[in-house]
Amino acid sequence: MSAPEDSDRLVQGTSNDAAISRESAARLGYIADPFIQHFVRHPQRRAPLINRGTFTRFQGVQKTLRQFLRYTSQNQQQHQTQNQVVILGSGLDTSYFLLAKDNIRAKRYFEIDFAEINAKKAATIYKKPDMRRLLPADTKVAAGGCELHSEEYCLLSGDLRLFAQDIVPRLLEHGFDTSAPTLFVSECVLIYLDPQHSDSIIDWITESVANAAILTYEQILPSDRFGQMMIENLRARGLELRGLMAYPSLESTRDRFLSRGWVSAAAIDLSDYHKKAIPQSELSRLARIEFLDEWEEFSLLAKHYAFTLAHTTHSKSFASIKLI
Amino acid sequence: MVLDIDKCIAQLYNGELLAESQVQSLCLQVRPILANESNVVPLSAPVTVVGDVHGQYHDVLEIFAIGGQCPDTNYLFLGDYVDRGNHSVETISLLCCLKLRYPQRIHLLRGNHESRNITKTYGFYTECTTKYGGSAVVWREFTDLFDYLALAVVIEDSVFCVHGGLSPSVSHIDQLRVLDRFGEIPHEGPLADILWSDPDPDIQGFGRSQRGAGYTFGAQVVDRFLHNNGMSHILRAHQLCMDGFLVQFNDRLSTVWSAPNYCYRCGNIASVLQVDPYLKRDFITFTAAPTSPHKPAPLQSTDPSSYFI
C-alpha cells in the first residue's frame, strides 16, 4: 500500500492526465482552449472516444459556468454584481482564462489545489503572455510561488481534507463573501476524498453560504463489470475512488444535496448528456474531426460519469442554470 | 527471401515479432491466396467463428487453446484484427502465417478496421511504427494486404457471415459477388455497408447509423434477406457484447465478440461460436487470458488516461 504522501502525489498526477486529455481535444479542434497547451510538455493524442468525452465534459462545465455568471449578473445591478466561483481541486484548469478572454469575470474567482500543482500553474501563467495579460492588474505572487492573490482572482494552496480548518479561513481572508451567490465546481476531485471529507465540504457550504450552487463531475456505478474493472485498473495505479461506494448512482448524488435541504439537485450521466445536450450540428462537426467507431464503448464509459448540479436556494438566477 | 513459415509461427508463439523482411515476404505470399478467394467464400461445417479481436494477442492464443489449435479446428475470423489492443502486429502476423500455412483451415474476412484511415486513428499505425523503429513499412504491407481479404462467407449454403451487416444495395448475395473488392474500403456503397452496418431490433427497415458509415437494419430486412437467399442465419461481429455474444431477431442473427475485457477496461466476456456439421450453433464464452511467465505480459491499460474523460 502506498504511503499517504505517495497517494497524494498520484492523485496530483491526475491533473497532468486531465491536462493532456484537454490538450488533445483542443489540438484536434474538439474544443477551443488556446491556453491548455502551455501546461502540457509532452502532448499525446488520445483515442477518439476520450476526445469525445473530454469535449462533452468541457461543454457541461463551461456552459454551467457561463450560465451562472450571466444569470447572476443579469439579476443584479451592474455595479453591485456579487458572484463568486470556487473551483475545488482546480489542477491545471484554464476556465478562468477562457472566461477572461471573453471579458467574462466573476466578482471573485477562487481556485484551490495542492501547493505542488499550484506552483507549476502559477509559474506557467507568468511565463505565458497570453495568460499573464488576462490576470488582474493587482495580482501578486505569494506563498513562495504557490499562490496568486488579487481582489478578483486567487489561486490558493491547501488540502481539501482540511477544508474548514485550512481552506475556509484563507477564502475569507481573501474576500470570500458568504452572502454572495457562489458556484462551486468539482471535476473528478471529491471522488478521491473519503466521504467524511467531501461531505464536510458540502456541510460547510450548506451551513455557511447563503446562495450556493455546485456542479460536480464524478464517476458513478462501481458495481457493474465496467465499474469493477475501473476500480481495479485505477487501484493498480495507486488511485482510489474513495467516494464512489458512498455515492454510486445518479439518485445518490442528487440525494447527497437534497438530504441537506438543498432545494434542487439534478444529475445526468455523460452518455445521456451527450445525447441530449449536444446539438446535431456539433455532432456532425465532431464526426468530421474523427470518426468515432466505438459507440458501445463510448456509451459504456460515459455512463460511468455524471454531472450533478444542485443549489441551495430558490433564487431566480439559480433556477435558470440548467444542465440541459 | 525464402520464408520458413513454421519458424515464423514459432517465433510469434514465443512472443517475438517478425522482422520487417519476414513481414514483406509473408504478405507477398499470402496475397495470391487471398486474391484467389471469391468475395463470398463457401465453407463447410464444422467451423469455429471468431469475432473482433482488436490486437488482443494473448486472447487470440487463448481462443486457440480453448477452441483447438489450427489446423485441428477450422476457423473463420470475421475481421477487426487490429487497433485498440496493444498487440495488433503480433495478432495479424500470426493469423497471416496460419493462413499461409493452412490456407483451407483458416479464413479471414475484412472488418471495418482493416483500412488505412481507421488504422491511422485507432492504434495499428502507431503500434507498427513504434515496434519497427519508426518505419511504416509493416503497416503499409498489412494494409495493402487487407485490400485482398474476402468480404463474406456462406457456411453450408445456409449461414451468411460478414463483419458488420446488411446493405440496402444488397438484397441478393450475387450482388456482393460482382463487386470489385481489391482496394481501400469506400466511404459508402455496398462494400462499406456490409463492413459497418448494425442490426436494430427496434426498427423494421434500414435506418441511419450513428457511426457515420453503413446503416442500421431491422427485422424485415433480415427476414427478406434470408428468404431471398435461401439462408437460415446471419452471423456477424462489429459490436461489443458484454456477455460475449448476442442473439436477435428470433434466432435469425447472432453477434459474436471475441475480445474479452475489451481495451483492458470494459469488463466484458468474449465468445467464439462453434458451428457443428449439422449447423448447430454453440457459443463458447471465455474471459481475459491469464498472464503466463512464458509469454510476454499483456499490457494492462491501467493508464488513468483511459478513464479521465
Side-chain angles (χ1 to χ4, degrees):
Chain A
M1 186 151 81
S2 37
E5 308 79 48
D6 290 341
S7 167
D8 281 358
R9 197 171 35 80
L10 290 165
V11 169
Q12 288 167 31
T14 65
S15 65
N16 284 325
D17 293 314
I20 291 172
S21 295
R22 183 110 142 209
E23 192 279 337
S24 170
R27 180 165 29 95
L28 292 167
Y30 280 81
I31 62 173
D33 183 350
F35 306 112
I36 192 64
Q37 56 172 320
H38 301 317
F39 296 102
V40 177
R41 203 174 294 158
H42 304 290
Q44 290 176 40
R45 182 177 182 149
R46 295 294 200 217
L49 87 172
I50 301 292
N51 290 324
R52 179 68 65 114
T54 300
F55 161 83
T56 310
R57 162 192 188 167
F58 182 83
Q59 294 302 106
V61 175
Q62 297 306 311
K63 197 169 140 188
T64 304
L65 272 169
R66 284 170 193 250
Q67 280 183 64
F68 169 76
L69 292 170
R70 180 164 70 246
Y71 292 124
T72 48
S73 305
Q74 270 173 12
N75 289 311
Q76 298 171 37
Q77 301 288 355
Q78 186 130 14
H79 61 279
Q80 286 176 353
T81 299
Q82 296 285 341
N83 48 19
Q84 292 170 146
V85 173
V86 179
I87 311 287
L88 301 166
S90 46
L92 301 169
D93 184 59
T94 54
S95 299
Y96 174 77
F97 298 95
L98 294 173
L99 293 164
K101 177 171 79 66
D102 292 343
N103 283 322
I104 300 172
R105 290 179 188 266
K107 179 83 178 170
R108 288 194 171 79
Y109 195 108
F110 297 93
E111 293 193 308
I112 303 166
D113 214 314
F114 286 110
E116 292 87 339
I117 295 175
N118 285 351
K120 175 178 170 176
K121 185 167 187 173
T124 304
I125 291 169
Y126 265 73
K127 255 199 295 242
K128 300 296 173 183
D130 59 343
M131 286 193 289
R132 189 169 178 170
R133 66 177 172 77
L134 290 171
L135 287 175
D138 63 335
T139 305
K140 292 188 171 37
V141 177
C146 300
E147 295 193 350
L148 297 175
H149 299 161
S150 73
E151 200 176 315
E152 181 221 310
Y153 169 70
C154 281
L155 179 69
L156 298 176
S157 298
D159 188 335
L160 290 174
R161 290 167 294 198
L162 302 169
F163 190 76
Q165 314 93 296
D166 181 21
I167 293 178
V168 168
R170 317 286 315 297
L171 283 171
L172 296 170
E173 181 196 342
H174 288 282
F176 182 85
D177 181 354
T178 53
S179 68
T182 308
L183 174 66
F184 293 85
V185 179
S186 157
E187 285 185 75
C188 293
V189 169
L190 297 183
I191 199 86
Y192 290 110
L193 303 177
D194 280 327
Q196 65 176 108
H197 292 132
S198 54
D199 284 343
S200 290
I201 298 173
I202 295 168
D203 285 335
W204 180 83
I205 297 172
T206 309
E207 287 151 21
S208 314
V209 183
N211 298 292
I214 190 165
L215 175 72
T216 67
Y217 170 76
E218 313 278 352
Q219 290 90 331
I220 54 168
L221 303 182
S223 305
D224 62 9
R225 277 175 290 186
F226 184 94
Q228 289 286 299
M229 188 60 51
M230 174 169 71
I231 291 169
E232 219 179 279
N233 277 344
L234 292 176
R235 185 171 289 150
R237 283 292 297 252
L239 292 166
E240 285 293 334
L241 298 172
R242 295 179 199 279
L244 185 52
M245 294 311 294
Y247 300 103
S249 64
L250 293 177
E251 193 185 337
S252 59
T253 63
R254 282 196 301 268
D255 217 58
R256 185 178 202 175
F257 301 99
L258 297 173
S259 65
R260 288 174 165 80
W262 292 46
V263 303
S264 162
I268 184 169
D269 69 47
L270 201 70
S271 174
D272 246 1
Y273 185 80
H274 178 269
K275 254 185 243 156
K276 296 180 180 156
I278 311 295
Q280 183 56 50
S281 56
E282 274 294 85
L283 296 178
S284 304
R285 182 180 74 83
L286 298 188
R288 285 193 293 276
I289 298 175
E290 280 183 322
F291 228 7
L292 180 62
D293 185 38
E294 264 81 13
W295 279 100
E296 293 80 27
E297 204 202 341
F298 173 74
S299 192
L300 193 55
L301 182 56
K303 275 187 165 41
H304 286 75
Y305 288 82
F307 285 120
T308 305
L309 178 64
H311 48 87
T312 56
T313 60
H314 282 296
S315 88
K316 208 163 56 169
S317 320
F318 285 173
S320 306
I321 306 167
K322 291 189 194 313
L323 279 169
I324 303 192
Chain B
M1 67 174 281
V2 176
L3 193 72
D4 182 340
I5 190 65
D6 288 318
K7 178 164 171 274
C8 288
I9 293 173
Q11 234 173 282
L12 287 162
Y13 278 139
N14 212 29
E16 274 176 52
L17 290 174
L18 298 182
E20 199 173 270
S21 55
Q22 287 175 305
V23 170
Q24 286 173 302
S25 182
L26 172 65
C27 290
L28 190 63
Q29 293 182 58
V30 173
R31 184 180 314 169
I33 299 175
L34 297 179
N36 282 333
E37 290 179 348
S38 334
N39 293 348
V40 184
V41 177
L43 285 189
S44 308
V47 61
T48 296
V49 185
V50 184
D52 295 28
V53 293
H54 281 300
Q56 296 187 201
Y57 182 64
H58 299 82
D59 297 311
V60 172
L61 299 181
E62 185 79 347
I63 288 168
F64 290 133
I66 58 175
Q69 295 298 327
C70 177
D72 306 328
T73 300
N74 297 321
Y75 279 98
L76 166 61
F77 283 75
L78 299 179
D80 278 12
Y81 314 107
V82 299
D83 287 337
R84 309 316 307 280
N86 293 325
H87 301 279
S88 299
V89 175
E90 290 89 331
T91 301
I92 190 63
S93 299
L94 177 63
L95 294 177
C96 287
C97 283
L98 291 174
K99 183 64 181 173
L100 179 59
R101 185 68 178 81
Y102 309 109
Q104 299 309 316
R105 294 298 188 164
I106 178 169
H107 287 83
L108 306 173
L109 294 185
R110 193 171 198 173
N112 65 304
H113 278 255
E114 276 71 63
S115 144
R116 292 161 185 83
N117 285 335
I118 297 284
T119 53
K120 279 211 147 156
T121 307
Y122 282 92
F124 184 46
Y125 176 85
T126 306
E127 189 189 318
C128 287
T129 52
T130 304
K131 286 179 175 171
Y132 287 93
S135 164
V137 166
V138 166
W139 173 80
R140 216 171 292 127
E141 288 288 339
F142 281 125
T143 49
D144 283 351
L145 190 66
F146 293 159
D147 289 345
Y148 294 88
L149 291 167
L151 302 178
V153 145
V154 176
I155 303 172
E156 302 283 0
D157 294 323
S158 183
V159 180
F160 179 72
C161 309
V162 73
H163 177 72
L166 301 181
S167 168
S169 312
V170 181
S171 50
H172 202 281
I173 289 174
D174 283 343
Q175 291 166 298
L176 279 181
R177 293 191 167 107
V178 301
L179 293 177
D180 175 9
R181 77 174 193 265
F182 299 115
E184 178 55 70
I185 303 172
H187 291 295
E188 55 191 11
L191 206 155
D193 295 342
I194 62 169
L195 265 40
W196 280 90
S197 292
D198 294 303
D200 183 352
D202 293 336
I203 62 174
Q204 289 295 322
F206 283 99
R208 184 197 151 115
S209 170
Q210 67 176 353
R211 291 186 195 261
Y215 294 85
T216 52
F217 57 93
Q220 213 175 66
V221 171
V222 170
D223 285 344
R224 220 180 284 141
F225 182 86
L226 291 174
H227 179 260
N228 288 349
N229 294 283
M231 306 242 162
S232 63
H233 199 82
I234 297 171
L235 269 185
R236 43 90 65 177
H238 193 46
Q239 278 179 302
L240 170 65
C241 302
M242 291 306 289
D243 295 320
F245 66 94
L246 187 63
V247 181
Q248 296 169 295
F249 300 111
N250 286 325
D251 200 19
R252 312 272 263 161
L253 180 142
S254 303
T255 303
V256 56
W257 179 266
S258 306
N261 194 22
Y262 181 45
C263 291
Y264 316 108
R265 117 183 98 184
C266 290
N268 62 290
I269 294 170
S271 78
V272 295
L273 172 60
Q274 290 179 335
V275 181
D276 81 1
Y278 307 100
L279 297 184
K280 185 167 145 295
R281 282 168 270 115
D282 209 2
F283 288 96
I284 314 294
T285 56
F286 61 101
T287 54
T291 54
S292 150
H294 306 294
K295 299 175 194 165
L299 281 173
Q300 294 300 316
S301 185
T302 55
D303 181 352
S305 67
S306 307
Y307 291 102
F308 292 115
I309 60 174

